[in-house]
Amino acid sequence: MWLLGCAAMLVVAAMGLQAASAQPASSVPVRFGILPLGGAFESRNDWEPLLADLSRAIGRPVTMLSVTSYEALEQAIQRDQVDMAFLSGKMALDAVTLRRMNVVAQVTRHDGLPGYRALLLTRKSGDYTSLKNLLAEPEKWRIARGESRSVSGFIVPQLQLFLPNHIAMETRFRSEVVGTHQVTALAVANGEADVATNNTADFERFRLQFPAEADRLQVIWESELIPHAQIVMRREYDDTFRRKVQGFLVDYARGKGPRGDAERAVLKSLHDLAGFVAADNSSLMPAAKLAYQLARQSAMNSQWVSESARQARLQRIEATYAEQMAALRGDAPR
């Protein structure tokens, strides 16, 4: 079992996705980056059919960048190695406000809810099963959590549960495993950790893939709703191409007949998605608010050399949040 805290391995698949009959407008591929929701290879296999359909629709080759960590994907975006990406929360926010990308679509799920929930998982039996005991003595517990950029694996549990109880996830636990939602759930199921962060969507998928391990687990905490992930693309693409990509995503799996059935099967295997809806940068306002709340609460709970230093940090947080919201509204220059 690999850990996401180790050096990340990039898996780039030039997939030969374009149909022979298609005449591309350009031979330059569109490079698509994906979050490591399972393993890098698993994510690549899940996305390959959809990206093959995208390639045919836009008349251009599509290559895929599948990575083993959030950090690896963030670095690829910084190095301009990604043209489009499937991102959530903080990563999508940074891509839009810092890396000249725009939101074109947001995923939807069959439950119809506008988001999903972060979870805490423990084993059903043993000494470490109670939320009350966890909050009372976190230093006795081993935690398996997501990377610091993970919304449900770190940001939301830290913001909505741990910091309000004066617990910093990075320092208060006996030990930690940092990994994907699959890795964290397996760590608890196999006795390598006592509590894991996760989310409702990925835990559903985990139940299907690892039914025996899932049966050992229970949910002891749920967060408020978290907005679904977005598809972002570089602003350098013209509006005609952007609309073409957006139209493909919005129409995908909505048709009738064998083609629609095949596309719906693709989405079902792809984290059981229902489809995509058109979206713009304003869809990231909830993510900006979460990041702001976490930064502010962390500053309030931290120890400072002086109150003036704390206030200076709080002022920077307020300024950053104002700049982000202006950018998401379209007030700031592109």
Side-chain angles (χ1 to χ4, degrees):
M1 185 186 306
W2 46 263
L3 302 182
L4 290 182
C6 68
M9 175 185 69
L10 300 186
V11 183
V12 183
M15 303 186 317
L17 296 176
Q18 190 168 321
S21 59
Q23 297 298 319
S26 170
S27 60
V28 178
V30 175
R31 302 163 300 176
F32 194 98
I34 53 177
L35 283 175
L37 298 182
F41 291 102
E42 178 188 352
S43 296
R44 183 190 66 192
N45 292 335
D46 289 343
W47 278 92
E48 187 170 354
L50 174 62
L51 297 186
D53 290 340
L54 172 63
S55 178
R56 286 187 285 268
I58 63 177
R60 293 182 63 163
V62 176
T63 59
M64 179 165 43
L65 179 67
S66 182
V67 299
T68 58
S69 72
Y70 285 67
E71 181 180 1
L73 183 53
E74 173 67 22
Q75 290 175 352
I77 293 172
Q78 291 180 18
R79 292 192 295 262
D80 293 332
Q81 295 174 339
V82 174
D83 304 305
M84 291 181 60
F86 169 69
L87 303 174
S88 64
K90 184 64 165 60
M91 287 195 70
L93 177 65
D94 288 346
V96 167
T97 58
L98 302 176
R99 307 298 172 199
R100 296 191 57 79
M101 301 186 86
N102 279 332
V103 174
V104 294
Q106 190 166 24
V107 305
T108 62
R109 291 181 59 84
H110 294 290
D111 56 20
L113 294 174
Y116 59 103
R117 298 180 189 276
L119 303 175
L120 285 186
L121 306 175
T122 67
R123 288 183 297 279
K124 291 179 178 178
S125 60
D127 297 331
Y128 299 91
T129 61
S130 162
L131 180 61
K132 180 179 178 181
N133 290 342
L134 167 64
L135 297 179
E137 297 181 304
E139 61 278 357
K140 293 185 177 181
W141 292 59
R142 299 167 299 167
I143 190 170
R145 65 170 177 86
E147 292 183 76
S148 60
R149 294 171 179 82
S150 173
V151 177
S152 60
F154 181 83
I155 293 174
V156 168
Q158 179 92 312
L159 173 65
Q160 296 185 6
L161 178 67
F162 289 117
L163 286 183
N165 285 280
H166 309 288
I167 298 169
M169 290 173 68
E170 313 96 303
T171 59
R172 284 292 300 278
F173 288 92
R174 175 179 154 195
S175 65
E176 68 175 15
V177 172
V178 179
T180 64
H181 299 301
Q182 182 183 107
V183 166
T184 61
L186 283 172
V188 175
N190 294 330
E192 298 166 359
D194 304 309
V195 61
T197 61
N198 218 276
N199 67 56
T200 49
D202 281 280
F203 192 45
E204 285 178 16
R205 184 178 177 85
F206 184 83
R207 287 183 185 279
L208 296 175
Q209 295 177 317
F210 302 95
E213 289 81 359
D215 193 52
R216 302 172 199 158
L217 302 176
Q218 64 176 347
V219 175
I220 62 168
W221 176 82
E222 290 190 0
S223 74
E224 300 171 7
L225 276 178
I226 304 167
H228 288 306
Q230 283 93 355
I231 303 290
V232 301
M233 64 186 301
R234 292 205 172 275
R235 294 176 188 168
E236 285 74 12
Y237 289 113
D238 59 37
D239 288 343
T240 299
F241 185 74
R242 180 187 59 79
R243 286 193 294 268
K244 196 171 188 178
V245 170
Q246 188 178 64
F248 163 80
L249 293 170
V250 170
D251 292 340
Y252 198 77
R254 298 186 186 276
K256 298 181 179 180
R259 179 176 175 179
D261 292 340
E263 292 175 349
R264 283 184 284 275
V266 168
L267 291 184
K268 183 171 181 59
S269 66
L270 187 63
H271 315 296
D272 198 26
L273 301 182
F276 303 89
V277 294
D280 58 26
N281 293 343
S282 65
S283 66
L284 287 171
M285 288 181 177
K289 185 176 181 180
L290 278 176
Y292 160 73
Q293 290 173 328
L294 177 60
R296 195 175 191 285
Q297 194 166 113
S298 296
M300 294 299 294
N301 287 3
S302 298
Q303 293 185 350
W304 297 84
V305 294
S306 67
E307 182 58 28
S308 61
R310 185 199 306 274
Q311 291 304 317
R313 173 59 179 153
L314 290 172
Q315 289 175 9
R316 290 195 297 272
I317 291 170
E318 295 290 343
T320 298
Y321 181 52
E323 291 171 1
Q324 289 176 339
M325 294 299 282
L328 297 179
R329 288 193 301 264
D331 299 343
R334 288 176 42 154

